[in-house]
Each structure stands twice: as C-alpha cells, then as structure tokens.
Amino acid sequence: MSPAARTTRARTYDPLRTRAALAGQVEALRGAVHELCALPDAEELLAAPTRLGEWRVRDLIAHLAIVIDWVPKYLGDPVPDGEPLALTDWVGLTRTAAPTIAAGVREHAEAEFTGTPEELARTFDRPVDALLRTLAEDHAPLLRIAMRFGPMLLSDYLVTRVVETVVHADDLAAALPTRYPVPDAFPHDRQALAATTRLLADALAARAPGGSVELRIPPFAVVQCVAGPRHTRGTPPNVVETAPLPWIRLATGRRTWSEALDVAELTAGGERSDLSSLLPVMG
C-alpha cells in the first residue's frame, strides 16, 4: 500500500510545478480555442450545447476566460482577514456557487464573447497572456489572494485554476465530438491532470474520512476513505479503481457511478466499495 493511502496529512503542491502545469494547460486551451475558431463551421460549433445545463460552447469559453483571468485581475486587491481556505474545503464549497457562477458567465459572454469566431479567439488570448505574465513573476511564498469564498494562499489558488481548466477542457472536448471523437484525446498537461486527480481524491477522503475503502487512480493517486475497519496489510477488502479522466468526471458529477460501471471505466470490489452516495465532491 502506498504511503499516500495511509496518511491524513494535507497534500502539498510544489509552486513551481503548479505554475508550469497551469501554463501548459492554458496554452493547450488556447490552441483548442484557436483551432475551433478557425474552422469553416465555427459559428455552429460555438452555438453547440454542452453538458453544463444551458451553457453553449461560447459560454463555456467565456467561463474559462473568467477562470484564467482571476489571478492577474484580482491579485493586487485587498485580502480579507481570516485563515486561508484549504484546498479540499474549496472543492466542497464549489457545490454551492453554481447559480452565481452561471449568472456571471452569461453576463461575461454577452459582454465580451458575442463577436465573430476570430474576435472570440483574440478575446480569449488576453486573459491567457495576462496569466502567463503573472506566472512568470516572483511572489512571496505566503502571498494571499481574495476569492469568492474568502482568502486563499496564492500557491493554493493556482491549484484551483489547474483544476478548473482541466475539468472545463474536458467539458469542451465532450461538447465537440467532431473535433474530439474520443474526449480523452484533449491534450491536457500531464502535471495538471495529476494535480486535479489528486485534489479531487483528497476531497473525497476529507468528505468521508476513514480507512475501509481504498480508491486507486493510477498513476496519480491512492487514498483511503469511508469509516470502518482500517486495512493495514495485504490486498484491501474494499477497492475502487478508475483512470484519471473518468475519476474527474465522477468527482464533478459529469458521469454517474452506474454509468461508469456500465462502460467499464470503474471497478469496485467489496461490500463497502459503492461510493455513489459521496459523489460528486465538486460542483
């Protein structure tokens, strides 16, 4: 059993690797948006539905611009007093913010993303370029930033931007089957995919602490969760295993437990291994 499966200590993320992962992921998104906007049927594709309620692809791209632009836009703002929010707490709080986020996205899309596909691509470049400039700067290790749920360490908040860009890049791929016949073909930054997988696994373990079930997401994460008898050696009696992108879809409500079982993206063995009641962990 991996040491990661035994510990309850909060996982940390190397700031330099986080910055590199975020830079790689936003560049992959930039490339995808530019390729999309250069297609002859770009207008039709931008109007295509997504799996996010009423959002169209154009709305999704507008939301990604908000996600990417938050750090360069608000880094210099006053930060409220209080203990910085932990990463796993941020994951849980996202489930309460969906209505506010949806309203903001529609407003942003109508204000800045209603032009031609070529104009949309140029508009998307602006937050990407601003974030890349910010990532290249030196920042104090304990620098904090204000975000919708309170203060957060900048180093941790950059991890949340990694998660958002990975999750929504997968949404984009799912909405464009002609561009991505296999959604897993989107060129995610590998370290960004790893950080997202680990944080969402840790959020599940924080939501259901315990040691009776081992969740394996090779090659990136192993955690133990769910109250009950703790396993200490040999093969655990309750094991759940899946791959990174299927796990991310489960953890964010993009796919249900039964759907993942039906398409063989998930294996679960043992009487306590059904985690469906604990999912999603992120809205």
Side-chain angles (χ1 to χ4, degrees):
M1 181 174 60
S2 163
R6 296 192 187 101
T7 184
T8 58
R9 184 177 57 196
R11 193 190 305 267
T12 60
Y13 295 83
D14 179 83
L16 292 179
R17 297 185 71 180
T18 297
R19 291 187 190 191
L22 183 54
Q25 186 69 14
V26 298
E27 285 288 17
L29 279 164
R30 188 211 300 263
V33 169
H34 275 260
E35 289 174 10
L36 166 62
C37 290
L39 294 173
D41 58 346
E43 286 283 8
E44 180 181 347
L45 293 173
L46 289 169
T50 71
R51 59 192 181 190
L52 301 174
E54 297 182 355
W55 285 13
R56 302 287 169 169
V57 169
R58 188 183 288 267
D59 300 319
L60 176 55
I61 292 172
H63 177 59
L64 278 162
I66 294 172
V67 167
I68 292 168
D69 201 33
W70 190 280
V71 171
K73 189 172 183 179
Y74 296 108
L75 184 57
D77 281 10
V79 179
D81 294 332
E83 189 71 18
L85 189 70
L87 278 167
T88 53
D89 292 335
W90 170 83
V91 173
L93 287 168
T94 60
R95 289 179 289 154
T96 68
T100 302
I101 291 171
V105 166
R106 183 54 53 88
E107 181 180 338
H108 189 60
E110 291 175 353
E112 298 193 35
F113 284 83
T114 55
T116 66
E118 293 79 8
E119 290 170 337
L120 184 149
R122 289 195 297 271
T123 300
F124 191 75
D125 279 340
R126 290 198 289 270
V128 171
D129 289 339
L131 177 61
L132 293 177
R133 287 193 297 270
T134 301
L135 293 177
E137 298 169 356
D138 289 328
H139 299 290
L142 298 181
L143 181 64
R144 302 191 302 172
I145 186 171
M147 40 82 74
R148 69 175 69 246
F149 304 125
M152 198 169 196
L153 291 175
L154 175 63
S155 56
D156 283 346
Y157 192 67
L158 292 177
V159 178
T160 75
R161 302 305 84 189
V162 169
V163 172
E164 292 270 15
T165 52
V166 168
V167 170
H168 289 307
D170 192 56
D171 291 331
L172 182 65
L176 300 171
T178 58
R179 298 290 299 150
Y180 304 97
V182 179
D184 295 13
F186 187 92
H188 297 284
D189 178 270
R190 178 178 170 82
Q191 184 59 34
L193 190 61
T196 303
T197 301
R198 290 166 182 154
L199 179 52
L200 294 176
D202 289 346
L204 176 66
R207 187 177 185 186
S212 68
V213 179
E214 185 163 290
L215 171 63
R216 300 172 178 173
I217 314 161
F220 298 137
V222 179
V223 298
Q224 287 193 355
C225 56
V226 182
R230 177 174 291 275
H231 170 73
T232 57
R233 64 176 60 197
T235 302
N238 301 287
V239 176
V240 174
E241 184 163 334
T242 186
L245 281 168
W247 164 243
I248 290 167
R249 294 169 195 144
L250 279 166
T252 59
R254 271 64 173 176
R255 177 155 288 178
T256 67
W257 185 267
S258 60
E259 288 169 345
L261 286 173
D262 287 344
V263 296
E265 289 184 344
L266 171 72
T267 60
E271 62 180 15
R272 295 173 179 265
S273 64
D274 186 342
L275 303 179
S276 58
S277 65
L278 301 171
L279 299 171
V281 295
M282 179 177 173

